[in-house]
Amino acid sequence: MTNWINIAQAAKEWVLEAGQRIRDSLNEELLIETKSDANDLVTNIDKDTEKFFIEKIKQYNLEFKIMGEEGFGDRIVSLDGVIWILDPIDGTMNFVHQKRNFAISLAVYENGEGRLGIIYDVMADDFYHVIPGSGAFLNDIRLNTLKDVTLEKAIIGLNATWITPNKRIDYQILSPLVKTVRGTRSYGAAAIELAYVATGRLDGYITMRLNPWDYAAGKLLIEEVGGKTSNLKGEPLSLLNPSSLLVGGPTVYDEIRENYLKDYQGK
Ligand code: 2AM
Ligand code: CA
């Protein structure tokens, strides 16, 4: 039997150590490169942090597989076995430009079932973790079940990037939604926005494209406190492919799905 409590304790130590290494690196000069486009950034610290985790995880158990954003892990084509899903720095643009509001996101799934989720907001020193079925926590204080909030009183996480006329379908969906809700916020790091939904600081979060390492941990946190997660079509989030994403408390989630996304045709 796999002992998830022991694994969670080990993972917590690695995450805190990695967080300290990242904070220490802030005084050094970063090597910044771009990936898919000029605004898709990666630094030497993203890569070093991913390698740090891979070494720790493989030392712990060679059979564990790792899906890491920077590609130093394994090539994952199925959810069989124990898979660690890692974003060494979620919110790299924030890391580079703002030196805050970035997170380490780490999740463990066994045959597609969530076993552990950790999000560490490195500069705030906020450590979120969940062992599905045993509770979700912020700095070891248990998170409450989400309060039910209606859409009119909701603050929704939403990045203005998606509200551009040339992304017509997105504009058509998001513009009426923005007019209905109480407010919108964008923090620039999906893992932090998901953690905020789990704590009730945000009532929902909607985005057109993320990768599994951006939401694998946050999904588990939100579900543990009674929130709902899916892609914009209402299908379960893929752990193998990029996806759109809608999460929120039950009422916010249902209202957005039923009143704004009925005809959504994208991914
Ligand atoms: P990253 O910093 O790990 O790349 C920014 O709004 C959020 O979206 C961050 O969580 C960022 O993760 C993620 N992100 C940025 N560009 C993306 C892309 N092209 N596809 C999927 N997710 C992206
Ligand atoms: Ca990243």
Side-chain angles (χ1 to χ4, degrees), residues 35 41 46 69-70 87-92 213-214:
K35 293 196 284 187
L41 308 180
D46 299 60
E69 171 166 19
E70 308 313 338
D87 191 343
I89 299 184
D90 181 60
T92 300
W213 44 81
D214 297 318

Side-chain angles (χ1 to χ4, degrees), residues 82-98:
V82 174
I83 300 178
W84 293 66
I85 304 180
L86 168 69
D87 191 343
I89 299 184
D90 181 60
T92 300
M93 197 188 288
N94 288 349
F95 173 62
V96 170
H97 285 263
Q98 306 186 317

Side-chain angles (χ1 to χ4, degrees), residues 2 4 7 64-65 76 78-85 106-117 130-134 215-217 219-221 223-224 236-240:
T2 315
W4 295 109
I7 291 175
F64 289 164
K65 288 178 277 183
I76 305 294
S78 97
L79 295 178
D80 295 345
V82 174
I83 300 178
W84 293 66
I85 304 180
L106 183 63
V108 189
Y109 285 77
E110 183 181 33
N111 301 321
E113 294 278 324
R115 300 294 184 212
L116 170 67
V130 54
I131 296 179
S134 300
Y215 53 72
K219 165 183 152 60
L220 300 178
L221 269 176
E223 289 170 357
E224 188 69 11
L237 290 168
S238 170
L239 295 170
L240 295 173

Side-chain angles (χ1 to χ4, degrees), residues 176-192:
L177 178 63
V178 167
K179 286 188 191 134
T180 303
V181 297
R182 178 166 277 175
T184 60
R185 297 288 184 274
S186 179
Y187 298 93
I192 289 179

Side-chain angles (χ1 to χ4, degrees), residues 42-255:
V42 62
T43 75
N44 54 315
I45 307 300
D46 299 60
K47 294 178 186 178
D48 288 353
T49 304
E50 180 158 314
K51 289 179 190 161
F52 168 86
F53 276 104
I54 289 171
E55 200 176 305
K56 296 284 185 193
I57 294 165
K58 293 284 183 187
Q59 260 172 19
Y60 194 94
N61 187 331
L62 263 180
E63 285 180 17
F64 289 164
K65 288 178 277 183
I66 303 150
M67 179 198 295
E69 171 166 19
E70 308 313 338
F72 298 110
D74 303 293
R75 211 173 79 82
I76 305 294
V77 291
S78 97
L79 295 178
D80 295 345
V82 174
I83 300 178
W84 293 66
I85 304 180
L86 168 69
D87 191 343
I89 299 184
D90 181 60
T92 300
M93 197 188 288
N94 288 349
F95 173 62
V96 170
H97 285 263
Q98 306 186 317
K99 302 204 186 304
R100 68 185 67 202
N101 283 332
F102 57 87
I104 297 168
S105 178
L106 183 63
V108 189
Y109 285 77
E110 183 181 33
N111 301 321
E113 294 278 324
R115 300 294 184 212
L116 170 67
I118 292 174
I119 293 172
Y120 183 45
D121 180 337
V122 174
M123 300 312 285
D125 195 23
D126 278 341
F127 187 93
Y128 305 83
H129 83 276
V130 54
I131 296 179
S134 300
F137 301 83
L138 164 54
N139 296 330
D140 291 329
I141 296 170
R142 195 177 182 128
L143 297 177
N144 294 321
T145 302
L146 293 180
K147 287 204 188 83
D148 220 6
V149 175
T150 59
L151 202 54
E152 285 74 18
K153 291 190 177 154
I155 300 183
I156 301 293
L158 181 66
N159 192 322
T161 310
W162 303 115
I163 310 196
T164 48
N166 62 344
K167 296 185 178 175
R168 226 167 71 85
I169 181 75
D170 308 347
Y171 176 77
Q172 283 171 342
I173 291 173
L174 295 174
S175 174
L177 178 63
V178 167
K179 286 188 191 134
T180 303
V181 297
R182 178 166 277 175
T184 60
R185 297 288 184 274
S186 179
Y187 298 93
I192 289 179
E193 300 184 280
L194 294 168
Y196 279 9
V197 172
T199 56
R201 294 172 189 162
L202 288 174
D203 303 299
Y205 174 51
I206 184 165
T207 177
M208 295 295 166
R209 191 190 143 92
L210 287 178
N211 283 295
W213 44 81
D214 297 318
Y215 53 72
K219 165 183 152 60
L220 300 178
L221 269 176
I222 290 171
E223 289 170 357
E224 188 69 11
V225 294
K228 290 188 171 184
T229 71
S230 72
N231 68 13
L232 294 189
K233 288 198 283 199
E235 299 162 346
L237 290 168
S238 170
L239 295 170
L240 295 173
N241 296 301
S243 175
S244 59
L245 179 134
L246 169 66
V247 302
T251 299
V252 164
Y253 175 95
D254 289 344
E255 285 193 45

